[in-house]
Amino acid sequence: MSSRISTTRVHEAGIETLQKRQVELAGAQERLTSGKRVAKASDDPAAAARAERALAGEMRAQTSERAVEASRTAMSLSETAMGDVVELLQQAREAMVAAGNASYTDNERRGLAEKLTSIRQQLLSVANRTDGAGSFLFGGQGAGSAPFVDAAGGVQYRGIAGERRTEPATDLPLTINGDGVFMTSLTGNGVFQTSAAAGVTQAWIDNGQVSDPSALTGSTYTLQFSIAAGATTYAVLENGLPTAVTAAPYVSGRDITVDGQTFRISGAPASGDQFTVQPSTATLSVFDTLDRAIGQLGTPSRTAAQIAQGNTDALRDLDQSMSQLQGARAAAGEMLVRIDSETGRLADQKLANQSERSRAEDLDMTDAISKFQNLQTGYDAALKSYSMVQRLSLFQYLNT
């Protein structure tokens, strides 16, 4: 049995072949133009899914990079601000050292008080410094207005203690806890605080030091002085209750040790004078320290002992505040190092996602050009073949 193919069918088959070749050639040309092997999910579902996952990872890395840069800006500005604060406190410390000069008059000390007042104003301005975009560097977890307010009782912190941070993936600070930096240094020497009671005018107590950490009790001690028959003695009370020390002889400038705490009282205490030794607390405000120093320097007719006590306390508290600030500044510097490391990690992550996306959807240009040329050759051959078939007809055949 023989099969016959009509001329019409031959023409139709040729057209179908040409159309198919044209579609293939157009697709190859489109891929060459875009440089993409996978332009839509139907081109290669598995590769399209890989590319989509890689794109999502790349976008997450870009978002994290913006957060890291915001943290870098905040930490750089904060570190600079804390450096300015330390410099101001150093100036205040120099003024207090000068105030201890025995030859200074009340007017000269009043001049130093005015200098401290200026330093305090500058310090408040730095504490309320912004990042240039409306956020307060030391605003903690949030502050709609300046976090430090100069109120009637002294400077108060109106921000929310804590820090604003970037997303958990990077977890970097965007603000500094201003309350922790300026308002909560340790009182005293960091372990215990010595102080003279009101009315003590001829003696003073130093900052003391820990001589036996294992003997510390955390109690509050009071030293009460008495004078009898020309001899000065003191009794020690623990949390208001008598101890075994009831009439210890006093010698000016000699070490006194109470449960691992050693300190010196100098001068000539009067009968009834009291000195207190109590555990340090994280309640020291740098602004209150300056306010007390300004008040003392502005008070006329103080005795030499009162001047010595005031200067000793002021220098101690300034040193504690500076130590707190220097620690916070060092932490900001360490955070900048971590931010550099995080920047490198995100750059690597972004590059890895870009590479994965490229492998999934990008075109191999060498292979694509070769295929395009093959398709073009095939199309040219099909076109020539069709043109030859199209010229064949019975009349043309008879005429040959």
Side-chain angles (χ1 to χ4, degrees), residues 193-197 200 205 220-226 233-241 243 245-246 248-250 254-259 261-265 269-278:
Q193 178 183 6
T194 59
S195 59
V200 177
I205 186 172
T220 296
Y221 299 89
T222 304
L223 279 71
Q224 296 180 334
F225 281 80
S226 301
T233 60
Y234 63 88
V236 178
L237 282 67
E238 182 177 3
N239 294 327
L241 301 175
T243 66
V245 181
T246 57
Y250 166 72
R254 177 179 291 180
D255 285 349
I256 299 174
T257 300
V258 179
D259 290 343
Q261 303 163 116
T262 299
F263 46 88
R264 292 178 181 178
I265 296 175
S271 186
D273 281 354
Q274 293 185 356
F275 295 86
T276 302
V277 180
Q278 60 188 359

Side-chain angles (χ1 to χ4, degrees), residues 9 85 183 188 243 249:
R9 179 58 192 146
V85 171
M183 311 295 283
T243 66

